[in-house]
């Protein structure tokens, strides 16, 4: 009759090896899944969309505006105001959305923060599938006035939108 300790030792070492193998393989699989998730998140398109419609429905994207004094009386110098729509294409509210514009033509300018139309602040929380307007350029009327640096030197602008989330 054989002693019981070699069989017990063999069963215990086999079970230990299987447990260690299962733990190590699950750790490797979790690490591989996390790297795929990180890769997908980096390649995922931004939930923010910047929209400008040249057809200008309902004078939404540009219009002639008249500034007003605090008492509501109009000032005498009207201007053209151009706006973009920043849309949240995600299913969650995006916090502290901000917008900046940067001239990229022959006379470039540094990025400048823009104010949202509704709250007149540089940040706004945009709810899922909603959008907000941001004025991005203002031109005095008439467009060319004495002393202004205008003409071929001004070019396109780049609009940048970002959010904390």
């Amino acid at each position: 009759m054989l002693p019981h300790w070699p069989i017990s030792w063999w069963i215990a070492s086999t079970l230990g090896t299987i447990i260690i193998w299962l733990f190590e393989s699950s750790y490797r699989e979790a690490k591989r899944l996390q790297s795929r998730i990180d890769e997908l998140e980096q390649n995922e398109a931004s939930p923010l969309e910047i929209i400008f419609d040249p057809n200008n429905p309902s004078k939404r994207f540009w219009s002639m505006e008249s500034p007003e004094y605090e008492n509501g009386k109009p000032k005498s110098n009207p201007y053209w105001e151009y706006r973009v729509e920043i849309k949240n294409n995600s299913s969650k509210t995006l916090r502290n959305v901000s917008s900046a514009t940067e001239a990229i033509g022959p006379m470039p300018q540094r990025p400048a923060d823009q104010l949202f139309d509704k709250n007149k602040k540089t940040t706004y929380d945009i709810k899922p599938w909603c959008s907000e307007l941001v004025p991005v350029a203002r031109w005095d009327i008439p467009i060319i006035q004495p002393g202004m640096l205008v003409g071929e030197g001004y070019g396109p602008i780049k609009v940048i939108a970002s959010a904390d989330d």
Side-chain angles (χ1 to χ4, degrees):
M1 186 156 159
L2 292 172
H4 294 290
W5 66 268
I7 295 172
S8 302
W9 180 84
W10 183 81
I11 291 173
S13 65
T14 303
L15 286 175
T17 304
I18 291 172
I19 290 171
I20 290 171
W21 178 80
L22 286 173
F23 176 76
E24 195 271 333
S25 65
S26 67
Y27 175 77
R28 266 189 287 132
E29 186 64 25
K31 194 172 181 180
R32 187 175 23 225
L33 286 173
Q34 185 61 46
S35 68
R36 279 192 76 199
I37 290 170
D38 291 343
E39 182 181 317
L40 288 173
E41 285 177 351
Q42 288 176 357
N43 294 336
E44 187 177 304
S46 171
L48 289 173
E49 179 182 6
I50 300 171
I51 302 167
F52 180 81
D53 187 348
N55 295 323
N56 197 23
S58 304
K59 296 184 179 181
R60 183 175 177 89
F61 294 96
W62 72 84
S63 62
M64 187 185 302
E65 301 291 323
S66 294
E68 296 179 348
Y69 291 106
E70 290 180 12
N71 61 8
K73 292 185 179 180
K75 293 181 179 179
S76 61
N77 51 343
Y79 56 87
W80 285 104
E81 182 175 83
Y82 293 85
R83 296 172 285 278
V84 295
E85 181 179 5
I86 298 180
K87 185 176 181 183
N88 177 2
N89 290 323
S90 72
S91 59
K92 64 179 185 173
T93 299
L94 295 177
R95 307 274 179 216
N96 295 323
V97 176
S98 63
S99 173
T101 57
E102 174 181 359
I104 57 174
M107 293 178 63
Q109 294 175 342
R110 287 183 260 174
D113 289 335
Q114 299 300 327
L115 304 177
F116 281 84
D117 238 7
K118 277 190 181 173
N119 66 355
K120 306 296 186 223
K121 294 183 180 177
T122 58
T123 60
Y124 197 84
D125 294 343
I126 301 180
K127 295 178 182 174
W129 316 115
C130 293
S131 60
E132 296 300 330
L133 291 173
V134 178
V136 293
R138 289 191 175 121
W139 288 94
D140 292 329
I141 299 174
I143 292 176
I144 299 175
Q145 296 182 4
M148 289 180 69
L149 293 172
V150 296
E152 296 297 320
Y154 284 93
I157 63 170
K158 177 168 66 171
V159 179
I160 305 155
S162 62
D164 283 351
D165 302 334

